[in-house]
Amino acid sequence: MSKRFFTSESVTEGHPDKICDQIADAVLDAILAQDPDAHVACEVTATTGVIHVMGEISTSCYVDIPSIAREVVNGIGYNKPDYGFDGSTCGVLTSIDVQSPDIAQGVNQSYEAQNGATDADDRLGAGDQGMMFGYACDETPELMPLAISLAHKLSKRLAQVRKNGTLPYLRPDGKTQVTIQYDGDTPVRVDAVVVSAQHDPDVTLQQIRRDIVEHVVRPAIPAKWLDSGTKYFINPTGRFVIGGPVSDSGLTGRKIIVDTYGGYGRHGGGSFSGKDPTKVDRSASYAARYVAKNIVAAGLAKRCEVQLAYAIGVARPISVAVDTFGTSQYGDEALAQAVRKVFDLRPSAIIRNLDLRRPIYRALSNYGQIGREDLNVPWERRDKTEALKAALKK
């Protein structure tokens, strides 16, 4: 077995890119709450004193986008002028158009429907072309890679101790990073932890480093992964007072690796936040995770990556591929055939089976959209394990 290392990062809800993701998904949720069939592609940018919400939205309802944006920013904790960015006083610009009729044509009436298909699930075409990946492994109880799982736990804990007053000098922006040492394919220890936490100007670096290890790292990372050789890098630049959109402009969809597998699984490149479920960048990525997780949960592989590919306006995926990295007794094509039998991967079926036309997305826009068993999202269910086993026996 060989020693190797793998690193993943997470960010807090006050990170400028994550502010944008949260606003985009809050707008989406507000629309879906009134119009579940709306078509939404919402993008957000943020910089010093200004939020810009843009995109293509076709809906029968009205939502107050500036008020939603301000509520999100204030709820994150950017609610004081001395932070340099304040949800009550920042400017909010909106540039919204309707969905292109050329795209709507293929989404509302798929290639299959235009050629005589009568099945209801054949009527809705994919909202874009592209490939989407799902991944699962047996490194953690939620079947996620260990590095991203621990990085998210650190980011969550940073927000928790800031909001509950344990570390009142913390501010909303922050990033975490965890390096895992492997023996072959088995994680054996945490080699390094990096935490960069925004803070008030009058706290000392020594106190920050002591408090972060005591109140963030040790409660978030189980002791079995830490040892005397674990390295800690807490605010390694020495000072992190200026943060959020004042220090770095934010943009929707710039944390797609944080949102998924921390780089351990491949990514098709499409972002999630601000997109309604007809956009397969989002819905098919959830579906691919659902498939991969059930394969691993069924004991059919220790690691599994699923790739789905779609053509815009076409309901049925143009390819379904499975890669178990040599960890399964079954061939990858045999598993792919079982997947096709068990899972309906047409966009309309995905939306229905995963119950995606409801306002669930803002809660997902922080700390990963995959592996979120804490939110009880349908794509984390393990309810297809027996069906997969049965399909492989036929």
Side-chain angles (χ1 to χ4, degrees):
M1 304 295 279
S2 59
K3 181 170 72 172
R4 63 184 181 88
F5 299 87
F6 193 87
T7 302
S8 294
E9 73 161 357
S10 178
V11 298
T12 66
E13 61 203 63
H15 186 281
D17 294 330
K18 272 295 153 201
I19 294 172
C20 296
D21 286 344
Q22 290 165 87
I23 293 171
D25 275 335
V27 170
L28 173 63
D29 278 357
I31 293 171
L32 291 178
Q34 300 180 62
D35 180 10
D37 294 320
H39 289 171
V40 180
C42 181
E43 307 276 356
V44 181
T45 63
T47 189
T48 306
V50 180
I51 294 168
H52 190 182
V53 184
M54 68 198 87
E56 297 77 46
I57 299 176
S58 296
T59 181
S60 59
C61 72
Y62 169 77
V63 298
D64 186 345
I65 291 176
S67 293
I68 292 170
R70 294 184 189 282
E71 185 272 327
V72 170
V73 173
N74 282 320
I76 290 168
Y78 287 111
N79 52 15
K80 299 178 181 179
D82 59 345
Y83 284 7
F85 193 81
D86 181 354
S88 298
T89 60
C90 67
V92 181
L93 307 176
T94 60
S95 303
I96 304 296
D97 204 347
V98 297
Q99 185 182 51
S100 163
D102 293 341
I103 295 175
Q105 172 180 278
V107 174
N108 296 331
Q109 188 177 28
S110 71
Y111 171 84
E112 289 91 339
Q114 293 177 40
N115 286 275
T118 58
D119 189 318
D121 285 329
D122 277 329
R123 294 176 189 166
L124 183 73
D128 201 354
Q129 71 175 53
M131 66 284 191
M132 299 82 208
F133 289 93
Y135 182 82
C137 63
D138 63 359
E139 293 181 12
T140 63
E142 67 272 27
L143 304 186
M144 287 287 285
L146 182 59
I148 188 64
S149 178
L150 295 181
H152 283 322
K153 287 179 169 61
L154 287 171
S155 291
K156 281 182 171 179
R157 183 65 183 170
L158 267 181
Q160 183 181 1
V161 298
R162 171 174 65 88
K163 292 179 177 180
N164 68 18
T166 301
L167 301 181
Y169 58 78
L170 290 182
R171 293 183 175 184
D173 200 355
K175 299 181 79 172
T176 66
Q177 186 172 288
V178 176
T179 299
I180 300 297
Q181 180 182 327
Y182 286 81
D183 185 1
D185 289 330
T186 303
V188 294
R189 58 183 291 273
V190 170
D191 185 68
V193 175
V194 182
V195 178
S196 295
Q198 187 189 12
H199 58 86
D200 289 343
D202 55 354
V203 63
T204 66
L205 179 60
Q206 290 74 20
Q207 181 180 353
I208 294 169
R209 288 177 171 169
R210 181 177 63 250
D211 286 349
I212 293 295
V213 171
E214 178 182 352
H215 296 290
V216 177
V217 176
R218 298 200 182 281
I221 300 180
K224 68 177 182 178
W225 298 116
L226 303 172
D227 58 31
S228 59
T230 301
K231 300 178 283 291
Y232 301 94
F233 300 93
I234 312 299
N235 281 18
T237 66
R239 183 176 171 87
F240 186 6
V241 173
I242 301 171
V246 177
S247 65
D248 184 16
S249 60
L251 177 63
T252 309
R254 205 156 53 183
K255 287 293 174 282
I256 57 176
I257 301 304
V258 171
D259 282 342
T260 52
Y261 306 99
Y264 209 95
R266 283 173 279 200
H267 199 295
S271 66
F272 297 169
S273 289
K275 295 179 179 178
D276 76 81
T278 66
K279 279 71 172 176
V280 284
D281 278 337
R282 179 166 228 163
S283 55
S285 294
Y286 295 160
R289 161 65 176 175
Y290 184 35
V291 173
K293 185 171 185 177
N294 274 270
I295 288 173
V296 174
L300 301 175
K302 293 175 66 63
R303 299 168 57 202
C304 179
E305 185 177 74
V306 174
Q307 186 202 51
L308 307 177
Y310 292 83
I312 189 168
V314 179
R316 297 175 184 271
I318 60 174
S319 73
V320 178
V322 175
D323 187 349
T324 57
F325 308 95
T327 66
S328 176
Q329 63 177 311
Y330 297 96
D332 290 342
E333 181 52 32
L335 286 166
Q337 291 178 11
V339 167
R340 294 185 188 99
K341 295 175 184 176
V342 172
F343 295 89
D344 191 336
L345 297 169
R346 293 172 292 178
S348 181
I350 292 171
I351 291 168
R352 182 184 63 255
N353 293 333
L354 299 184
D355 196 12
L356 298 180
R357 292 195 188 274
R358 56 194 176 103
I360 59 173
Y361 299 104
R362 181 178 173 185
L364 286 162
S365 56
N366 291 311
Y367 315 121
Q369 304 207 22
I370 302 297
R372 297 301 301 276
E373 293 186 346
D374 58 314
L375 296 178
N376 198 31
V377 289
W379 53 93
E380 294 300 325
R381 295 186 309 228
R382 309 175 189 215
D383 57 352
K384 299 295 186 183
T385 56
E386 295 306 315
L388 282 167
K389 293 176 185 177
L392 285 165
K393 292 178 182 178
K394 293 179 180 178

